[in-house]
Amino acid sequence: MMQLFGGIRRPLADCVPDLVATARGAKPATLVVRNAKLVNVCSGEILEGMSVGVQGSRIAYVGRKPEPLIGEETKVIDAQGKYLAPGFLDGHCHIESTQLTVTQFARAVLPQGTTGGFFDAHEMVNVLGLSGLKLMLDEARQTPLAAYLQVASCVPSTDASLETSGASIGPAEVEEAFSWGPDVIALGEVMNFPGVVYGDPKMLGEIQATLRAGRVADGHFTWPASDERLIAYAASGVTGDHECVTKEDVVERVRLGMYAKMRRGSAWHDVEETIKAHTELGLDPRRMMLVTDDRSVESLVDEGHMNFVIRNAIRQGVKPVTAIQMATINTAERFGVARDVGTITPGSYADMVLLDGHLADVNVAMTICAGEVVAENGQMALELAGMHYPAEATRSMNLASVPVPEDFVIEAPIEEGKLRARVIRVQENHVETKAEEALVTVRGGRVQLEPGVGPCKIAVFERHQGSGGRSVALVDGIGFHEPAALAMTVAHDSHNLLVIGNNDELMARAAARVAEAQGGAAFAGAGGDALLPLRIAGLLSDAPFEEVAEQSRRLSAALQSAGCTLNYAFMTLSLLALVVIPELRISDKGLVEITADGIHKVQLFIDADAKASD
C-alpha cells in the first residue's frame, strides 16, 4: 500500500533559515538529486554534473558538490546523467474538460511531468457559482500540484439575454474569491471582449477588482489580429491571451506586451501555426507560452499532457530548452510566481522532472513535487486522498421536464416546400464554426431530415432553473450516416443540455439517459447506446481516470461507428453552445452569430416569409 502524499508547500519567508543552513552544509538536505544534466531555464543552458539539494518543500542548493548536504536521513537519487528540468506548468487549462476531479487529474498528469498549472474553473462556476470554484480550490490544495486557480470572469459568458447560466459572477464575487489566498491567482479568460472594448461596467469592474488585488487578468480575444480594438482590450489590463490561431495573432499580442499562449489541446491544434512567430519571424519567445486549454481524458492517456505539448513544439522547430522555457519559467513569470515555480534555483519549490533519453523526446522518468517523489516510470508513487462532493454538486440537473421526441420538431413558416436556413458548420480541430446556409425540406409545416443527407438537428435545453427554455436549429459536419444522437451536459460555457442528432426518438432517448444520470454524455443509435456519467455538476466523474478514459473511449467508438469521425469529436461538439466564439452558435435562447460588429441573436430561417415552392 502506497503512502499518502504528505508534502507541505511552505512560504519562502518561513523557510529561509533552514534553506541557508542546508546550502552552506550545516543542515542535511531532505532530498538530493545528483549527477544530472540540469536544464537551466534561466540561462538557457544544459549544465552537466549538477546536483540539487532540497530542504522540505524547497530547493536549498544547486551546484556540483552535494556531499556536505547528505546526512543519514537524506534521500539520495542518482540521476545517472539524465536531464533534470523544472516541473512543467500548464499556463491555461480547464480541468473540467478532462471530465475528471482535480485528484484524478493530478493522478493522470503527475507521471507525465506536469507539476502545476493555472486552472480556470469557469465550467464549474457557470453551474455552481463561487461554491464550485471553492470546491475545486479545496481539492487542489490536497494534491501535490502547485495548483493556481483563476476566478471565472464571464458567468454567463456574455449578456444574460443570450443564454441561461447556473450562476452569475460580478466584481463583488471576484473580490471575494481573491481573499481566499494567494493561490487564487488571476481573473480567468475575459471572453466578453466586446464588453471590455465598449466599456461594459461589469467587465471593467471585474478587471479593476483584479488589479486592486494585485492579480493579473487573462484574455480571450477572437477578432482578427489586425483589428485595433485589441489595443483597447490590452489597455484594460488584460495581459495574456490563448485565442491565438495564427502567427500574426502572436505577433500583435507580444508587441503590445501581452503573453501569447499557444494552444495544443486535444482538438485545438494551434501551435503548428502560432509557433511560426518564433521559428519563422524570429520573435523573442520570452512572452510565448505553451498551454493545453482543453484536453480530454482519452488524450491524456493516449498522448500525454504538457510533455506532449512540449514535444510537439520541438517537432515544429523550437529548440528543446526554449520549448521547456515556454512551459516553465515563461509561464511562472506571466503570473508573477517565478520565485516559487518554473525554475530549478535556490529558494524555489522542489518541483522537478527527470527526463530519460534525448531531451527532445521529453520522456519523463520521475516527477518530484514539493520535495517528494510522486511518480516514477509512468506510475504514481503515492496515494492521493480525493474529496467528497456535496449534494449541491451531484444533483445539479434541474430540467423543467425530460425531453420527448416532439421537443425536437422544427416548425416552419410554410406547409410544404423548401426554405433557406442558417446552419452551424463544425470545423475539425478548430474552436471556430462557420455560418452557412442550406435549403431544407418542409412537409406538413415541419422541417424534415434524412439520415446521412445534409445537416443534423441541434437542440439546447435549459437545465439550471427549470425554466423550460429550449431552442432547436441545424448543424452540419457531424458525419452521421445512420440514425444517431448525442446528448451531453458538457456544453460550454453555460452547460445546459445539448443534443445533436438526425432522429427525434433517438435524441429524446439520449437526453433521457443524461437526465437520469444527473449529467454526462449519452449516445443513442441503431447499433446500441453508450454512456459517460458525470454526476458532479454534470461535468466531472468521481471515478478513477482510467475508468473515465475507458467510458469516454466507448462513447467515441459509438460516434465513429455512426459516421462521426471528427478528431476528439466530443470535445469539438461540446463547444457548439459557446456563444462568444465565431461564427454561429446555439444557446437555450436561440441561434447566436458572432461577427466583427459584436454578438447578436439571429433567426433560423433566412427567408421566413417565403412562399411554398412549386
Side-chain angles (χ1 to χ4, degrees):
M1 183 72 176
M2 292 187 291
Q3 67 180 30
L4 287 168
F5 174 70
I8 298 175
R9 293 182 180 272
R10 296 175 60 201
L12 178 58
D14 296 346
C15 304
V16 168
D18 289 340
L19 293 176
V20 172
T22 300
R24 70 172 184 264
K27 182 173 184 175
T30 53
L31 171 71
V32 168
V33 181
R34 62 191 305 173
N35 191 26
K37 296 176 185 174
L38 180 67
V39 181
N40 192 313
V41 294
C42 298
S43 62
E45 300 173 283
I46 304 295
L47 304 175
E48 300 207 19
M50 297 295 288
S51 296
V52 176
V54 176
Q55 183 58 247
S57 62
R58 290 186 179 267
I59 296 169
Y61 173 88
V62 180
R64 290 188 168 88
K65 298 178 180 179
E67 288 77 13
L69 283 67
I70 299 173
E72 292 183 3
E73 302 298 321
T74 303
K75 179 179 177 64
V76 179
I77 297 171
D78 188 348
Q80 298 179 330
K82 294 183 178 71
Y83 291 96
L84 184 65
F88 306 143
L89 301 171
D90 193 338
H92 181 74
C93 174
H94 306 287
I95 292 177
E96 303 98 312
S97 292
T98 65
Q99 282 80 63
L100 303 173
T101 61
V102 184
T103 300
Q104 290 302 316
F105 174 81
R107 285 191 61 239
V109 304
L110 284 166
Q112 302 182 63
T114 298
T115 59
F118 301 84
F119 305 116
D120 187 348
H122 72 216
E123 321 304 349
M124 282 284 281
V125 176
N126 265 283
V127 178
L128 300 175
L130 275 191
S131 64
L133 177 63
K134 190 64 164 61
L135 286 170
M136 293 195 73
L137 179 66
D138 288 345
E139 185 172 12
R141 287 170 172 170
Q142 299 175 29
T143 74
L145 291 171
Y148 298 91
L149 275 291
Q150 296 177 270
V151 187
S153 65
C154 295
V155 181
S157 63
T158 185
D159 192 287
S161 67
L162 298 177
E163 61 181 335
T164 304
S165 181
S168 180
I169 296 294
E173 288 79 14
V174 170
E175 182 179 2
E176 178 187 343
F178 284 137
S179 71
W180 297 345
D183 50 353
V184 183
I185 195 74
L187 186 67
E189 56 181 295
V190 183
M191 295 180 291
N192 188 2
F193 54 93
V196 174
V197 170
Y198 292 108
D200 177 78
K202 173 179 175 290
M203 296 315 307
L204 296 185
E206 290 184 11
I207 294 172
Q208 288 176 298
T210 300
L211 300 178
R212 291 189 183 109
R215 309 308 209 277
V216 297
D218 257 355
H220 172 121
F221 186 93
T222 63
W223 282 329
S226 58
D227 194 318
E228 287 208 337
R229 285 175 292 187
L230 177 62
I231 300 170
Y233 193 59
S236 73
V238 173
T239 50
D241 190 2
H242 67 282
E243 287 297 332
C244 301
V245 297
T246 67
K247 60 187 176 184
E248 291 79 14
D249 289 337
V250 173
V251 169
E252 293 303 324
R253 284 157 177 78
V254 170
R255 285 176 176 170
L256 292 174
M258 300 174 75
Y259 280 82
K261 302 182 180 186
M262 296 175 287
R263 171 174 54 195
R264 185 53 159 85
S266 297
W268 334 134
H269 298 181
D270 297 327
V271 170
E272 287 78 353
E273 286 300 317
T274 55
I275 202 67
K276 293 176 182 177
H278 170 61
T279 58
E280 291 185 0
L281 302 181
L283 262 66
D284 191 318
R286 73 180 67 187
R287 287 183 180 265
M288 298 178 190
M289 298 161 52
L290 295 171
V291 305
T292 65
D293 196 4
D294 301 297
R295 281 188 80 70
S296 73
V297 63
E298 288 178 72
S299 56
L300 288 183
V301 172
D302 296 342
E303 296 175 333
H305 191 239
M306 290 306 298
N307 57 333
F308 169 78
V309 178
I310 296 168
R311 188 183 308 123
N312 177 64
I314 294 170
R315 289 173 179 170
Q316 309 309 314
V318 181
K319 293 179 180 179
V321 174
T322 302
I324 291 172
Q325 287 173 321
M326 290 177 173
T328 56
I329 188 171
N330 292 11
T331 305
E333 287 181 343
R334 183 271 175 280
F335 288 99
V337 290
R339 176 64 282 173
D340 287 336
V341 295
T343 69
I344 297 178
T345 52
S348 296
Y349 281 126
D351 295 344
M352 304 176 287
V353 293
L354 276 176
L355 304 175
D356 208 355
H358 296 292
L359 185 59
D361 295 335
V362 199
N363 181 27
V364 179
M366 178 182 290
T367 306
I368 298 168
C369 279
E372 285 195 46
V373 176
V374 298
E376 193 168 2
N377 299 322
Q379 301 294 321
M380 287 295 295
L382 295 169
E383 291 280 0
L384 302 184
M387 190 177 80
H388 173 75
Y389 277 80
E392 68 168 299
T394 59
R395 305 290 297 180
S396 66
M397 290 291 287
N398 190 27
L399 289 166
S401 61
V402 177
V404 296
E406 190 71 14
D407 291 327
F408 299 97
V409 168
I410 300 177
E411 301 284 353
I414 62 173
E415 278 299 308
E416 304 287 333
K418 300 282 188 179
L419 281 177
R420 283 192 308 138
R422 289 183 171 86
V423 177
I424 303 169
R425 165 66 67 174
V426 174
Q427 296 193 101
E428 187 173 36
N429 293 333
H430 289 278
V431 297
E432 307 89 356
T433 65
K434 290 295 183 182
E436 295 187 348
E437 298 178 10
L439 278 177
V440 295
T441 300
V442 179
R443 299 191 192 99
R446 296 180 169 188
V447 171
Q448 304 294 317
L449 301 182
E450 296 181 34
V453 180
C456 292
K457 291 180 181 178
I458 181 169
V460 176
F461 295 80
E462 192 278 313
R463 65 107 168 176
H464 302 295
Q465 302 171 12
S467 68
R470 68 180 170 92
S471 65
V472 187
L474 299 170
V475 62
D476 212 343
I478 305 301
F480 288 152
H481 54 57
E482 62 184 50
L486 173 69
M488 51 192 179
T489 47
V490 180
H492 303 268
D493 270 335
S494 289
H495 300 290
N496 288 301
L497 175 61
L498 175 68
V499 190
I500 300 167
N502 54 19
N503 178 282
D504 295 350
E505 286 73 24
L506 291 177
M507 293 176 80
R509 188 165 93 197
R513 291 207 70 190
V514 171
E516 182 182 10
Q518 278 297 309
F523 172 86
D529 295 357
L531 177 66
L532 171 60
L534 303 170
R535 72 186 191 100
I536 300 173
L539 300 171
L540 310 177
S541 170
D542 53 5
F545 80 85
E546 298 91 342
E547 182 180 328
V548 182
E550 184 55 35
Q551 292 171 334
S552 181
R553 211 180 303 280
R554 287 197 292 268
L555 186 71
S556 296
L559 286 167
Q560 290 173 4
S561 68
C564 181
T565 59
L566 294 166
N567 183 43
Y568 292 109
F570 176 78
M571 184 159 286
T572 299
L573 300 180
S574 72
L575 292 189
L576 294 179
L578 182 49
V579 297
V580 292
I581 295 184
E583 297 178 338
L584 190 62
R585 305 281 163 162
I586 185 174
S587 77
D588 61 304
K589 298 188 177 182
L591 279 175
V592 179
E593 189 171 35
I594 303 94
T595 69
D597 296 324
I599 304 174
H600 316 280
K601 287 178 67 175
V602 294
Q603 298 297 315
L604 172 62
F605 297 112
I606 298 167
D607 43 5
D609 58 346
K611 304 298 182 182
S613 62
D614 295 332

